[in-house]
């Protein structure tokens, strides 16, 4: 019912920037909490940034001040601007649409994209 497709991943040197995008329908944007997550090999999935139905944003301590989550003018793309990238940012990045908002994060069982790889070299 809900489809999410990430794009914009790639390889970059430490200190560089990348911008990820996730195609989102207007219906999904209006009715779900949207977020960005990442997972490195052998590690658990980590929540990075969230944006509520009203546009309120929340960031994890690991990316606060470096990453910015936003929606485009048409509300059909979810974006993640990543600056000052570090080797430890290397992971597969996923966007998600979840049904709830609690304690300033998206919660519940929802929908996930296939992911896009980000590799940061030292």
């Amino acid at each position: 019912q809900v489809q999410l497709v990430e794009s914009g991943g790639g390889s970059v040197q430490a200190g560089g920037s990348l911008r990820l995008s996730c195609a989102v329908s207007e219906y999904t944007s209006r009715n779900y909490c949207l977020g960005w997550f990442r997972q490195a090999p052998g590690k658990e999935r980590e929540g990075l940034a969230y944006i509520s139905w009203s546009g309120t944003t929340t960031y994890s301590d690991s990316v606060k001040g470096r990453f910015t989550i936003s929606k485009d003018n048409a509300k059909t793309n979810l974006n993640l601007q990543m600056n000052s990238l570090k080797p430890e940012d290397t992971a597969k990045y996923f966007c998600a649409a979840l049904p709830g908002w609690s304690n300033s994060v998206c919660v519940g069982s929802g929908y996930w994209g296939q992911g896009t790889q980000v590799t940061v070299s030292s």
Side-chain angles (χ1 to χ4, degrees):
Q1 182 178 351
V2 177
Q3 291 185 311
L4 306 170
V5 181
E6 302 95 337
S7 63
S11 298
V12 65
Q13 292 187 335
S17 299
L18 285 174
R19 186 176 180 85
L20 306 183
S21 294
C22 177
V24 179
S25 71
E26 184 176 347
Y27 175 85
T28 300
S29 180
R30 291 178 59 189
N31 293 282
Y32 289 86
C33 181
L34 306 177
W36 285 97
F37 299 76
R38 69 186 178 191
Q39 187 166 26
K43 296 189 175 182
E44 294 184 354
R45 186 174 60 206
E46 176 188 12
L48 305 175
Y50 309 91
I51 186 165
S52 72
W53 300 267
S54 64
T56 300
T57 59
T58 302
Y59 299 92
S60 68
D61 290 340
S62 64
V63 305
K64 190 176 300 181
R66 299 190 297 124
F67 293 9
T68 302
I69 188 171
S70 65
K71 298 176 181 179
D72 67 10
N73 293 333
K75 303 295 192 294
T76 56
N77 275 284
L78 176 71
N79 304 307
L80 185 69
Q81 178 65 47
M82 305 186 294
N83 298 326
S84 302
L85 285 163
K86 307 172 182 179
E88 50 262 46
D89 292 320
T90 296
K92 194 169 187 179
Y93 285 67
F94 302 84
C95 61
L98 305 178
W101 175 261
S102 181
N103 295 320
S104 300
V105 299
C106 303
V107 297
S109 179
Y111 303 90
W112 296 81
Q114 290 297 119
T116 186
Q117 181 67 36
V118 171
T119 301
V120 184
S121 60
S122 60

